[in-house]
Amino acid sequence: VRMQSLDHVSRYSNSMNCAANIVRSEGILALYNGFGPSCARNCTFNGAYFGFIFWFKDQLPTPKGFGEEVAKTLFTGMAGGVFATCIKQPFDVVKSRFQNQLPDANGNKEYRYTLQALVSIYRKEGIAALYKGFTPTVLRMTIGQSVALTAFETSTSLMERISEGKT
């Protein structure tokens, strides 16, 4: 994240240089900055996504053939990707802030804990700041989740048919 940030654009020459400088100036544990918010983001996304897709798929009509089944699964994955991204995006912003921050002259950092960072960003910058980067993220997740869910369900269905001797 630091190498992608405009704040650090000329600070590091490559990935190894970045890692070495971080370890030298901040210690080895600095390589794990953002681990807590990453866990919160991933747990939030997965809980929202899987909870949503199982509920949503049951709300749609029963498909009448393979093509309709694929379309239903693609649509379910897309809708799930949008829903889960709406829920997890604030944690994604916090993760990036953790990974991008440098300690001040006294070694202190603005963001110390996930919830403290969420509240701080909200109070200082407003709710919109917690959704920075939403558009590219939701586009990526919508496409990725729809394709992944469809590939998984189609492969699972094919393997079940093979094991039952129906192909």
Side-chain angles (χ1 to χ4, degrees), residues 28-160:
I28 191 92
L29 291 178
L31 295 175
Y32 294 93
N33 284 347
F35 180 74
S38 291
C39 290
R41 176 196 65 179
N42 293 349
C43 290
T44 303
F45 181 86
N46 289 332
Y49 179 74
F50 288 108
F52 181 86
I53 64 169
F54 288 114
W55 170 82
F56 187 71
K57 199 164 188 185
D58 287 343
Q59 307 309 306
L60 299 175
T62 302
K64 293 179 175 50
F66 178 74
E68 286 185 16
E69 182 66 39
V70 169
K72 178 180 177 178
T73 305
L74 278 168
F75 184 63
T76 300
M78 290 174 74
V82 170
F83 176 76
T85 300
C86 290
I87 305 297
K88 72 99 180 172
Q89 189 63 26
F91 294 102
D92 203 26
V93 169
V94 169
K95 175 207 64 87
S96 294
R97 298 280 181 103
F98 264 77
Q99 291 174 333
N100 199 35
Q101 73 179 340
L102 294 173
D104 64 16
N106 298 323
N108 299 319
K109 294 183 177 181
E110 180 179 3
Y111 306 116
R112 297 180 316 274
Y113 308 101
T114 303
L115 293 178
Q116 172 266 334
L118 281 168
V119 171
S120 176
I121 294 166
Y122 172 74
R123 285 183 178 159
K124 291 178 183 176
E125 302 174 50
I127 191 78
L130 293 171
Y131 285 88
K132 286 183 178 178
F134 178 79
T135 301
T137 301
V138 79
L139 290 173
R140 186 181 77 244
M141 298 310 287
T142 300
I143 294 166
Q145 295 305 313
S146 64
V147 170
L149 182 63
T150 303
F152 173 77
E153 291 207 356
T154 303
S155 299
T156 302
S157 176
L158 180 61
M159 285 186 250
E160 287 172 352

